[in-house]
Amino acid sequence: MDEPSSHRSPEGGGAGRFLLAAAIVLMLVAVAGATTWWMYSREPADPTAGPAPAASASQCPDADLVVAAAPEIAPVVQAAARTFNDDPSDKCGPIEVVAEEPAVTASASVKYDVWIPSSSAWVALAGVRGASYKVESEPLARTPVVIAGPTSLTDQIAPGGKTSWAKITAGAAKGQIPAVTMADPQTSTIGMLSVYAVNKAMARTTPDAGIAQLRALTLRSRLTDATSDPAQLMARLATEWNNSSVVSSIGVFPTTEQQLKAYQAGNHTLKLDGATPVDGLVEADYPFAIAHNNRDADLTQRLRAAITKPALTRAGFRTTASPNAMPLTGEPQQLLASAALWSGYKSLTTQVLLLIDASGSMNQKITAPGGRSTTRAALLRESGGIAAELFAEDTSVGMWFFGQPTPSSPAHVEAVPFGPITGAVKDATRREALGAAMAGYRAADNSGTPLYQTVLDGVAEMRPKVRQGAVTLVVVLTDGVDGESTFKMSQPQFMQKLAEQQDPNRPVPVLAVGYGPDVDMKALNDMSAATGGKAFAATNPADLSSAIAKAFLAAHAPR
């Protein structure tokens, strides 16, 4: 540990959050950014009242022990610390308690004698950066993550007091829930635990990891706010309960049982209820983590004993584990990988043309995840149907199928005309039309693959649609190489034509998904690189869904 002076909060603020260098490489890095320090006043407070007003800096430079605690449990810890003061009216004593968000503590240079974060995962994450804390016994407290919202909504999503992440995702995708908001998983324990639970819940629905990720991303694509703090949301609902636009824009959101109880104890006009998701129950726990060179071991143990179970229960916490709570992964990088993918998704206005290979090779037999026998086309129908749910409400989309079953056939046919995802196509929405088109997708036997001509036509089709404030893309999925059609051309010819089409003022990136062992990945990489896009390989056809998920993430990455 640093010298005693290093236990003070540094003036000015410093490092802020964990990120991954890239979604594919699971590397943990700390990125410099603005830091907010949450502090409580030193005046006595009711532990059920929640966070006290913020203080500007440490006021107790002579403390023998410095403790960092998550803001919601800090009042309980602070009350226990004051029992060691000789003068109860003295704001300072032998123990100083700093209320600080765990993400700040985990990434900051300041180290503490004792750390009580809102999840044991933060201790492991801090260990990756070299901070050494040991946890010798069970957590002090626990509180499960619940889905909360106004009673009118929770009656809908949690009949009988039970809900699920799958139900929330389906309700959001179908517009049955006005809004879903969540906290940032890279800076918030509730966000981190919720994203972990969503991914685990979706993994239970299918043996295909790619499809599970697509289903998780469906919820992410429907969030009205992905960086909301649950405590701040509840504060808004308490004061703006009569503003229907505020209430509907918040909708339902994950929080902890402890935070929800604190709101309910306030007897606010707008009533909130909550339920734990049965398909992904996770809980915040509060470990008592001791620094390896803690300055006062005796005082540390006395403090732990002074934090009593009745005090924690009065503050709304549980002191035993929740039945059926899922254990968190033992690898902190895995936890952060899910958080980084989720946070890296950007809600962007998108215009996309989907080009789907309908050549004869799509009818080849494959072994799908779980061992079942199917065809490439059948697996695409399954994956594509789920992918149709991913597009946000401000997306405009169209879809072509390409293949040439006879010499007189065109290179491609329009399966869904381009337009707003919420717009009408005959008697259905465009999203419904996409789903129906994918469900009816069939590949013609012995059909050629006019890949290059279709990409050229697709880019030409989308270029006039480029507009400021929107990302315009062509997404192509193919399982083979350009050939066996009257539109066949060499790769040099294609690349020259593609280069002649380029307009730096109106870029149309191509995102290419190569599907199966016969695909020409060099051609896909070259066309994507030439247009500022990316290519993704699913050499094993069973990996198709994962490749589609990567392409979807790339489409929503900031540019």
Side-chain angles (χ1 to χ4, degrees), residues 422-448:
T422 55
V425 178
K426 296 183 179 179
D427 297 327
T429 66
R430 187 164 274 99
R431 189 189 302 281
E432 291 170 338
L434 279 172
M438 287 308 307
Y441 162 81
R442 296 295 184 275
D445 288 332
N446 302 317
S447 177

Side-chain angles (χ1 to χ4, degrees), residues 271-361:
K271 304 300 181 184
L272 297 184
D273 288 317
T276 54
V278 295
D279 58 350
L281 195 162
V282 289
E283 60 181 6
D285 65 352
Y286 295 80
F288 193 85
I290 304 170
H292 78 285
N293 52 353
N294 175 285
R295 292 179 296 166
D296 195 325
D298 178 66
L299 186 57
T300 294
Q301 293 303 322
R302 290 164 59 202
L303 171 64
R304 181 182 174 98
I307 304 171
T308 65
K309 289 185 177 181
L312 291 164
T313 301
R314 286 194 299 271
F317 294 98
R318 299 186 184 192
T319 55
T320 57
S322 304
N324 303 318
M326 295 190 304
L328 296 185
T329 177
E331 293 295 329
Q333 287 92 339
Q334 293 178 15
L335 200 61
L336 282 179
S338 297
L341 286 173
W342 190 275
S343 294
Y345 175 99
K346 300 299 178 185
S347 297
L348 304 170
T349 300
T350 307
Q351 303 181 129
V352 58
L353 179 62
L354 304 173
L355 309 179
I356 308 298
D357 191 337
S359 62
S361 56

Side-chain angles (χ1 to χ4, degrees), residues 57 68 100 123 152 165 176 213 220 341 352 377 412 418 429 526:
E100 187 171 273
V123 179
S152 58
W165 290 111
Q176 298 169 343
Q213 188 177 30
R220 176 63 185 86
L341 286 173
V352 58
H412 45 78
F418 181 85
T429 66
D526 288 349

